[in-house]
Amino acid sequence: MEKIHSLTGMMDLIGNKAQKEDIANKIFYTEEVLKNIFENYSISEIRTPALENSSLFKRSVGDNSDIVNKELYSFLDKNEKSITLRPEATASVIRSVIEKKIDNETHKFWYLGPMWRYERPQKGRYRQFSQAGIEILGYPEGLAELEMISIVCAINKALGIEKPLLKINHLGNKESKQNYCESLKNFLEPLSLELDKKDLERLNKNPLRILDSKNPETQEILKDGPKIDAYLSDEAINILNLVKNTFSDDCNIEIDHNLVRGLDYYTGFVFEAVSEDLGAQNAYLGGGRYDELSKQLGGKDLPAIGMAIGIERLAALAKTYRKNKTSLSFIIISSKIEPKAYKIAHKLRSLNNSINIDVQLSEGSLKSKLRRANKDNASYALIIGEDEIKSESIIVKSLLDENSEQLVMDFKDLENFIKKIK
Ligand code: HAM
């Protein structure tokens, strides 16, 4: 029989409380930390479906992007309609606010969930991955940019990210972007024989994307080409300096005029956080302003800025861990008293939310159950047998100190003991 296995580039995350450095646990913890930060910044959650009409991504992420050109997971449904597993969530958020007719209001949204891109899998690059994202809608360039980078700094701090580098750039307004693209085209067209196929395609479809070329020969040619900063307005330069000055104590910020981002909807300030510890796929979050997207999708004029965080990459960098709650292992040593003993465990669990009580469900010797309690890093074993049920007491054994005596507590004392554990 053919073996069943997961799809290429898609992984299972299997939690294991005792192994906090395990990537699955780091991912779960990272998600919790992010949700807390989003709540602290007074941002509301938004959930949109994983499946959307294919046209949504073509009209937003754009025909010029790699995502739409080669990476969409698109299918025909039973009605022969083309649907796509979302490769990102910004387009869905804007679709949703337009559809709900709330595209004339201000919003701050966060989301967290799986995204799909049919990429060539490698370290840090998956076909199903998770993003947490924020979209701040309805605010023009200014404070919203500061809010966004403030959140990036808070994330780096909370997860102890070492040596993060935040690259920022400005793509200009419609007019300056057009002027710059034209001069870039004029400069590169006579040199087109020296460009590879991919860069030639970029030059024709979206010249700005050529700045992002991975080809060293193209990068060499670009050194003598026109630079975007010469085309930027004073306001654009000011916002870059404002961001840099405001957060320079918290974060290493670099203005990088070659940063263009791979999605077509960006219009102004853009940014990407990278870490050399990640290897080739070094960006763990990215985003920027996309003031035209709402109108492009048939909505109102809605200025917007957002970012998305690659959870797997951020978790790989995280240096802080969840503080484990004090754990107690509840050991029943006679099958005859299981229902009565279980009822006691049920009551104990309701007394203190800051501890874990793990009722060992399997049969086995006391020795093997104590071994399991130690393996799970339990601080105490609560041991109950027929004698204890009769005398309404329980044995409490500290697992923190091998030499400590075990105690016998009656149920009332046990309840007080449980309530006091921190
Ligand atoms: P993005 O740069 O395409 O932006 O993705 C954001 C982050 O998702 C990346 O920096 C990376 O950490 C992670 N990521 C992307 N692709 C993969 C993959 N195949 N495997 C693992 N991680 C990946 C966006 O998606 C925009 N929607 C961000 C945004 C929100 N802009 C405005 N609002």
Side-chain angles (χ1 to χ4, degrees), residues 88 90 117 119 124 126 131 135 261 265-266 283 306-307 310:
E88 60 105 57
T90 311
R117 295 183 191 176
E119 299 204 67
Y126 311 101
Q131 277 187 350
E135 312 296 344
R261 310 267 306 127
Y265 51 60
Y266 292 110
M307 70 169 167

Side-chain angles (χ1 to χ4, degrees), residues 24 96 179 181 188 263 299 381 395:
S96 174
N179 289 339
C181 284
L188 287 171
L263 300 90
I395 297 167

Side-chain angles (χ1 to χ4, degrees), residues 182 288 399:
E182 220 148 274
L399 303 175

Side-chain angles (χ1 to χ4, degrees), residues 11-68:
M11 58 173 160
D12 300 311
L13 296 177
I14 301 178
N16 177 350
K17 280 195 182 307
Q19 307 248 310
K20 58 186 178 184
E21 290 191 36
D22 192 76
I23 188 64
N25 283 343
K26 287 181 82 172
I27 286 176
F28 302 149
Y29 171 67
T30 298
E31 291 180 352
E32 264 173 47
V33 169
L34 290 177
K35 281 186 197 174
N36 267 330
I37 293 175
F38 300 159
E39 292 301 328
N40 289 347
Y41 276 78
S42 200
I43 305 172
S44 310
E45 182 174 358
I46 182 168
R47 287 192 199 182
T48 58
L51 279 169
E52 296 274 2
N53 281 310
S54 301
S55 55
L56 173 66
F57 302 110
K58 294 190 177 137
R59 284 174 59 185
S60 55
V61 175
D63 280 337
N64 295 325
S65 66
D66 285 350
I67 298 178
V68 166

